[in-house]
Structure formats: structure tokens, C-alpha cells
Amino acid sequence: MFPLFDLSLQLNGFPMKEAKAELQKIVALSEKEHEAFLENKKLEIVNFHLQNNPFYQELVGSNTTNWDDLPILNKRNLQQPLLERLSNGYSPKNSYVNKTSGSSGDPFIFAKDKYSHALTWASNMYRFGWYGIDFNSSFQARFYGIPMDFIGNKKERFKDLLSHRFRFSIFDLSDVVLEKILKKFQNKKFDYINGYTSSIVLFAKYLKKKNIILKEICPTLKVCMVTSEMLFEDDKILLEQQFGIPIVNEYGASELDLIAFQNPKDEWQVNSETLFVEILDENNQAVPNGTSGRIVITSLFNKAHPFIRYDIGDIGILDEKSTLKKPILKKLIGRTNDIALLPSGKKSPGLTFYYVTKSFIEDDGNVKEFIIKQTKIDTFEIEYVSETELNLKQIKKIETAIALYLEPDLNFSFIRKKALERSNRGKLKQFKSMI
């Protein structure tokens, strides 16, 4: 098949041939060579922005250029006009410009120079290639949001056409709509599934209810990549059972690149080719592998806009066996702004509630989805979508489990809804603190 995807990127000014060639060189480096490459790229990108970016010059100030003394860049720093943050010689016209989803509560507009963005695509293609997926020829079933305005919608559909993918809008996932999605899988030769975790899990639950294995009705399917939302272990098992194909967990950020991608050995391999990932404590010091901390990332190639020691807002753990060339993300714990403050003074990741509640709430398969909101220090709302209302026995079980795992005397209200509130891109935020 004609490489339409590569060609469309090339025509938009993204030098794909050069980017793919550079990525292959980096991948081929030995462990020792990679260490030298990393030190050179860190030094190079810092020096470039100190010489060419007034925003970064001001941020660093008279601080030393010693790496550990460089400031931590956060999303609040970036909430100022893009033109004030661009490097000399770069403008919205000669750069790739986009907006973050705002799932962290701090959306902002960002830019990448065209070579850096080409490397992002090369990095994506390389990792998807681990599973026999070629963006130029493999047909994608895409579970993503889509703009609802006419022009935005048509633009996205055209990009889908060039990218050889069919998009399922995820704003309505009622049984009627899921049945239509199922029919598309019966009639189209999809090679892989890609999209938001919660939407794909809902589809799998529908298949389970109908006792259908997706691979049996769509034999061309090879793999499913889930992204943008947490993938829980029992959801992964459900997806594997109902789809009959490998499930690959992806972790990325639009302003950076793919951050980690599950490799065929079932390791969550961190991208060390275009990014440098650090795990830091509250004092901005690196923690030992195996210890949790804030995920802080440097984009090694982006000259249009500095992402140097950028706190992405997530908490994670690198595996003890990680090396500089092959870091492994052992666990992604959640977002730093998803922390529940409890009456005892205890701080707990909001996803702890979700984990505990999830195990009980889904025992009978009645509940399709749920989210947890903290409205006061001791008060939580659980909004859920289900075929029948939760009974007192189920509610008591959940409250007992939370008292055991977190602390007693917390107040819960359970609100059954027809659909859960999603972001304008269709993402589901599983825990939200409103205090």
C-alpha cells in the first residue's frame, strides 16, 4: 500500500525520513553510548533554550546550569500566551501547535518544532511496530472523542481517512450504539483497536453480556492499545478475554510524546529516545528506583518550546531493573492533583477509593461505570451507571472496605445516573477532589 500516512506528514512539513533515520540510530546505541547521548542531548537542549528562549532564561535566572539545580517547570508556569514562551526564530506558523486536554485541570497551548514532532510520530510508529502495526497500511478502530462543530468534525474525519482509521464517537455508549459498533467489527477488517480505556472497557462489558469474543467475528484483529486513562488489572483481563487479542497499555502526553508503552515482554518500557524521565521527591531530588515520586520529563529535541524538567502532574515508580537506555515504569499511581485529604490528616491517592470500590461494585456485573467525587473533607459522592440500583448490602460492603483500607467515619452518597460526565474530548476522570 502507498505510504499515505507518511506522505501526509511530510507534506505538512514534518521531515519523517530524517526523523525515522535518527530514531533508528538512537535505538541501536549500546548502553554506554546511550548514556553519552543522553548527557549530550540534555546539555544541548538546556544551552539552546538559555540562549534562544527569553521565557526559559527568566525561569532559570542566575541559577547554575548544573542539571539538579535547574528549576522544575510546571503547568502553571505555562499558562501564559504561547508567543511569550516560544524560542527565537519559532512562531505558530513554522511549528506544530496544539492544546493539552486539561485532564489535570491546567490546560495550556504548546508548540513543538516540526522536526521534534516528526520524531514523536517516528517514536509512535516504532513502538506500534512491535506488534506488527504499520500506520500506512493497518486499519484502526478508533475509540476517541471528536469535535462536534461542523468544521472541526470534518477536519478530524479527513485526518482519519489519511490515517487509515475508522472513528467511533464515544459520547454515547448506550447498548444501541454499542450494537452498531459491534456490527462495524463484523463488516470491516480492522487490524487493531486504539483509544480511551474507559470506552473500550464498556465495549468489552457489552461483549461479555452477549457472550461474544471479538476476534471470532473480526479475525483480522491483532492487538488493542489503550491510552489516556488508567488501565486496571481486572479490566485488562476482561479486555483480553472478550477481545481475544493482546492488550497494550500506553502512557503519553500530547505536549511531549509517548512516555511509556508496554513491550511484548509485558514491561511498561519508558521512551528514552526522545525523552528523559526522572522520578523526584518533594524536594526535587531523584528517588531510588522502586520508590514513588513525581514524574518529571525533559523533551530532548523540542527547540520551539522548552519542556525541561517538566512536572507532568503524575506520580509513578520506576522498576528497580531500569537502566538509562531501558527504563521500565513499574507503576503509574495517578495524578498529583487527585489526592484525597482525609479528616485524620492522612493523604491518599484518589484512585485508592476507586480500586477498593471497584472490586466490590463490579462483582455482579451490574455496574458499568462509576466515578468518585470528594465534596468535603469527610464526604464523597459515588456516581454510577447500572442496570439496577445498588442495594444496601452492596453499599455496606463498599463502606466497610473503605473504612478498612483508608479510615472509618467517612460519608458516602451513591447517585445512579444514565451517563457519566466526560470531558469535551470524551475522557472519564475517575476521581475528582472538589475541596
Side-chain angles (χ1 to χ4, degrees):
M1 185 178 278
F2 190 72
L4 193 59
F5 189 77
D6 276 19
L7 186 65
S8 65
L9 287 169
Q10 200 83 32
L11 291 173
N12 278 306
F14 302 113
M16 291 308 300
K17 284 180 187 172
E18 295 88 335
K20 282 184 171 183
E22 173 140 26
L23 188 78
Q24 286 308 315
K25 281 182 189 172
I26 300 168
V27 168
L29 296 174
S30 68
E31 187 72 49
K32 195 172 180 183
E33 288 168 337
H34 189 91
E35 195 174 331
F37 153 79
L38 196 54
E39 288 309 307
N40 287 338
K41 290 309 292 183
K42 282 160 63 180
L43 190 63
E44 189 183 302
I45 200 71
V46 170
N47 286 341
F48 179 87
H49 285 297
L50 284 176
Q51 288 164 23
N52 297 283
N53 192 289
F55 161 76
Y56 194 65
Q57 289 165 2
E58 189 180 333
L59 189 74
V60 174
S62 56
N63 285 0
T64 173
T65 53
N66 179 33
W67 184 264
D68 292 333
D69 295 330
L70 289 171
I72 303 300
L73 184 66
N74 60 48
K75 296 187 182 192
R76 298 283 163 88
N77 298 140
L78 303 174
Q79 287 176 319
Q80 53 179 283
L82 177 65
L83 291 175
E84 294 174 16
R85 292 181 272 123
L86 288 174
S87 300
N88 299 332
Y90 291 94
S91 71
K93 286 186 177 177
N94 66 11
S95 307
Y96 168 79
V97 175
N98 207 340
K99 187 178 181 180
T100 65
S101 67
S103 58
S104 64
D106 300 311
F108 61 89
I109 294 170
F110 66 89
K112 291 181 187 176
D113 65 81
K114 293 207 167 182
Y115 184 67
S116 171
H117 193 56
L119 270 169
T120 294
W121 275 115
S123 163
N124 272 268
M125 291 171 180
Y126 167 62
R127 283 167 174 77
F128 275 65
W130 292 345
Y131 295 90
I133 299 302
D134 179 345
F135 284 11
N136 287 296
S137 57
S138 301
F139 191 23
Q140 179 192 137
R142 190 171 182 81
F143 286 76
Y144 267 75
I146 190 166
M148 301 312 277
D149 65 285
F150 182 79
I151 293 173
N153 189 284
K154 295 301 174 201
K155 192 177 172 184
E156 213 59 40
R157 292 287 183 197
F158 182 63
K159 278 161 69 177
D160 287 342
L161 183 70
L162 292 178
S163 306
H164 205 48
R165 61 199 185 203
F166 185 90
R167 184 184 300 246
F168 299 110
S169 179
I170 57 176
F171 296 112
D172 176 6
L173 289 171
S174 59
D175 282 4
V176 174
V177 174
L178 290 170
E179 182 61 32
K180 288 177 182 172
I181 291 174
L182 180 57
K183 283 197 163 53
K184 288 288 182 194
F185 276 92
Q186 286 172 322
N187 299 326
K188 290 184 178 288
K189 293 181 177 180
F190 290 115
D191 292 294
Y192 67 115
I193 297 168
N194 190 17
Y196 296 159
T197 310
S198 62
S199 306
I200 293 172
V201 167
L202 261 185
F203 183 45
K205 287 178 179 176
Y206 180 73
L207 294 175
K208 185 177 183 182
K209 194 166 69 172
K210 297 201 71 169
N211 199 22
I212 291 171
I213 307 295
L214 196 58
K215 173 82 171 170
E216 291 175 3
I217 64 159
C218 184
T220 50
L221 270 182
K222 295 188 185 85
V223 65
C224 168
M225 283 83 171
V226 296
T227 189
S228 293
E229 298 159 340
M230 293 289 279
L231 174 64
F232 297 94
E233 191 55 38
D234 53 346
D235 283 339
K236 187 179 181 185
I237 292 165
L238 170 77
L239 291 173
E240 286 169 343
Q241 286 171 345
Q242 296 309 133
F243 289 175
I245 53 178
I247 306 302
V248 175
N249 200 359
E250 176 189 298
Y251 169 43
S254 55
E255 66 269 37
L256 296 167
D257 201 331
L258 269 181
I259 300 167
F261 197 78
Q262 189 180 313
N263 66 26
K265 292 180 180 176
D266 211 21
E267 300 164 319
W268 220 0
Q269 189 170 330
V270 173
N271 169 2
S272 65
E273 292 86 29
T274 70
L275 304 176
F276 172 55
V277 176
E278 300 174 87
I279 309 287
L280 304 183
D281 65 17
E282 290 176 0
N283 300 313
N284 299 334
Q285 299 300 305
V287 301
N289 290 345
T291 307
S292 70
R294 291 147 51 229
I295 299 177
V296 172
I297 303 178
T298 298
S299 180
L300 297 170
F301 288 89
N302 191 355
K303 290 182 175 177
H305 186 294
F307 283 105
I308 297 169
R309 305 200 89 198
Y310 165 59
D311 188 336
I312 194 169
D314 291 336
I315 301 168
I317 303 171
L318 281 181
D319 199 291
E320 291 85 344
K321 66 183 176 188
S322 296
T323 65
L324 279 175
K325 181 172 168 61
K326 190 183 175 184
I328 304 294
L329 188 62
K330 188 176 187 177
K331 196 174 183 186
L332 184 62
I333 295 168
R335 305 204 76 91
T336 48
N337 68 336
D338 289 345
I339 301 293
L341 302 174
L342 303 178
S344 66
K346 184 178 176 181
K347 291 181 182 179
S348 182
L351 281 168
T352 310
F353 288 87
Y354 194 85
Y355 274 116
V356 174
T357 308
K358 186 177 175 66
S359 60
F360 289 97
I361 218 165
E362 296 194 328
D363 276 350
D364 59 358
N366 172 37
V367 176
K368 294 181 179 180
E369 290 186 299
F370 69 96
I371 55 174
I372 298 173
K373 293 180 181 177
Q374 182 175 20
T375 55
K376 294 178 188 170
I377 191 114
D378 64 346
T379 306
F380 297 81
E381 288 179 359
I382 297 181
E383 295 181 357
Y384 67 97
V385 178
S386 66
E387 291 174 16
T388 59
E389 200 142 351
L390 287 176
N391 59 43
L392 283 173
K393 189 181 175 185
Q394 287 170 308
I395 288 170
K396 199 72 193 159
K397 255 185 172 182
I398 292 163
E399 289 176 343
T400 303
I402 287 172
L404 178 67
Y405 286 97
L406 291 143
E407 65 182 59
D409 303 320
L410 299 173
N411 302 310
F412 287 86
S413 57
F414 293 80
I415 304 160
R416 188 178 170 212
K417 304 196 98 175
K418 286 186 177 176
L420 296 180
E421 185 186 331
R422 284 178 148 79
S423 75
N424 60 359
R425 294 195 181 187
K427 289 186 186 181
L428 186 69
K429 193 165 169 58
Q430 288 144 334
F431 175 85
K432 189 177 184 181
S433 176
M434 302 168 85
I435 60 171

